[in-house]
Amino acid sequence: MSADAQRFFEDQGYLIVEDLLSDDELDAYRHEIERLHALAAELDEAGKPEARQFQREPHAGVAQRDDGLPVLRKVENTGNYSDLFGDLARHSRLVPVIQGLIGNDLLLFRSTLMLKPAHHGSAHALHQDSAYWPMDPPTLVTVSIALNDATPENGCIQVIPGSHKWGLQEWGQITRADDAVTSRQDIDISARIDVPLRAGSAVCFHSLMVHGSGANQSPNPRNTALYAYFSPQVQYTPKEGQPRERSFPVVAGLDGRRDHTLVAD
């Protein structure tokens, strides 16, 4: 990674990585998303607890697509249900970018598919990821990889450049039915910008970056593979009632270990 790219990320809080994935890779991921929709239907019909990892789109107005499969908003812990998306977190062109931002030793905090179905995908109000994550200091890096072209019309990510320097704040409900940018009255949204991406490109952003996305009002889906990474210097700080230790997959470094367990103080 160039020094200019590092400085841009440190100053602005985000970084665009163009053409991370090839057309053939994109085709494979799109087919895998369809398989995961079918899996969601199977798990739900069988009453399996894993079905909770496949979240329905809450504001679609319909529960199923025309083909009978569910209208999904997201899939959590994708590596548990898809080798393809599990491997994408360790992609040979992605890992060096993240290492250039937070160091050679990388742990995976989150792996998620964020889905905005055509005509149905709901808005995400402005927020900071670290406001919802029990990790300190809040210095994780999230990567959102566009699996379709991401445009303002289909709800591409929006950021407020430099807002990662505002400090950790409270944001409330993220998913919106009304496409409101935020319910807070003290936020100047005039600096908010769209971050459109070609399919296969990605945006990396600091976990304190204030960001959101609009509703998908287009006939085209906006699907993204989302991963959050952190270095071993970050501590696990669970709330009362949460487990006092948690294991995280190792993406790179740490002597090649598969997992790394963090224990709260």
Side-chain angles (χ1 to χ4, degrees):
M1 176 181 294
S2 70
D4 285 346
Q6 289 176 317
R7 281 193 293 268
F8 185 89
F9 181 83
E10 291 169 3
D11 182 58
Q12 298 294 306
Y14 73 101
L15 181 69
I16 294 173
V17 182
E18 300 281 8
D19 302 324
L20 183 72
L21 303 178
S22 68
D23 289 343
D24 287 344
E25 288 174 315
L26 286 169
D27 284 342
Y29 294 127
R30 290 165 185 158
H31 282 99
E32 184 70 350
I33 287 174
E34 291 306 300
R35 187 190 70 81
L36 289 171
H37 277 78
L39 177 61
E42 293 172 12
L43 292 172
D44 192 53
E45 184 177 356
K48 298 287 188 181
E50 293 90 341
R52 291 194 294 268
Q53 301 295 310
F54 297 75
Q55 186 182 113
R56 271 51 176 179
E57 171 54 55
H59 306 300
V62 294
Q64 295 179 326
R65 308 187 316 190
D66 291 342
D67 60 6
L69 294 178
V71 178
L72 295 180
R73 172 179 175 260
K74 66 178 179 178
V75 181
E76 291 283 10
N77 300 307
T78 47
N80 293 342
Y81 308 101
S82 167
D83 290 341
L84 267 179
F85 284 111
D87 292 343
L88 180 53
R90 297 168 174 80
H91 197 286
S92 61
R93 291 192 292 276
L94 174 60
V95 169
V97 175
I98 308 305
Q99 289 176 315
L101 298 176
I102 57 176
N104 291 331
D105 294 330
L106 297 180
L107 296 165
L108 186 66
F109 177 77
R110 187 185 188 196
S111 60
T112 306
L113 273 174
M114 300 299 295
L115 309 173
K116 282 185 183 284
H119 303 296
H120 294 307
S122 56
H124 290 189
L126 291 176
H127 65 284
Q128 297 167 307
D129 286 342
S130 277
Y132 307 88
W133 295 349
M135 309 298 288
D136 185 62
T139 54
L140 294 80
V141 170
T142 297
V143 180
S144 181
I145 305 170
L147 303 176
N148 314 90
D149 288 339
T151 67
E153 292 74 26
N154 67 7
C156 69
I157 285 179
Q158 301 166 331
V159 303
I160 299 180
S163 58
H164 63 302
K165 302 174 184 177
W166 292 0
L168 189 62
Q169 303 183 17
E170 295 292 332
W171 297 91
Q173 184 68 28
I174 296 176
T175 306
R176 306 287 301 218
D178 56 5
D179 204 19
V181 175
T182 180
S183 57
R184 289 179 51 171
Q185 303 300 312
D186 60 332
I187 300 298
D188 179 7
I189 64 172
S190 63
R192 178 179 51 122
I193 63 170
D194 290 315
V195 185
L197 297 170
R198 287 195 305 269
S201 297
V203 58
C204 309
F205 54 93
H206 194 288
S207 62
L208 287 178
M209 165 64 74
V210 177
H211 68 286
S213 61
N216 186 354
Q217 300 176 350
S218 81
N220 305 307
R222 197 220 84 180
N223 298 328
T224 62
L226 186 148
Y227 301 97
Y229 303 87
F230 66 101
S231 79
Q233 281 70 47
V234 175
Q235 300 297 307
Y236 172 54
T237 56
K239 295 180 180 179
E240 185 175 352
Q242 292 181 325
R244 305 309 296 170
E245 66 178 54
R246 181 173 168 183
S247 293
F248 298 90
V250 174
V251 173
L254 291 174
D255 302 320
R257 277 177 274 172
R258 179 181 178 86
D259 300 291
H260 182 66
T261 299
L262 297 180
V263 181
D265 294 335

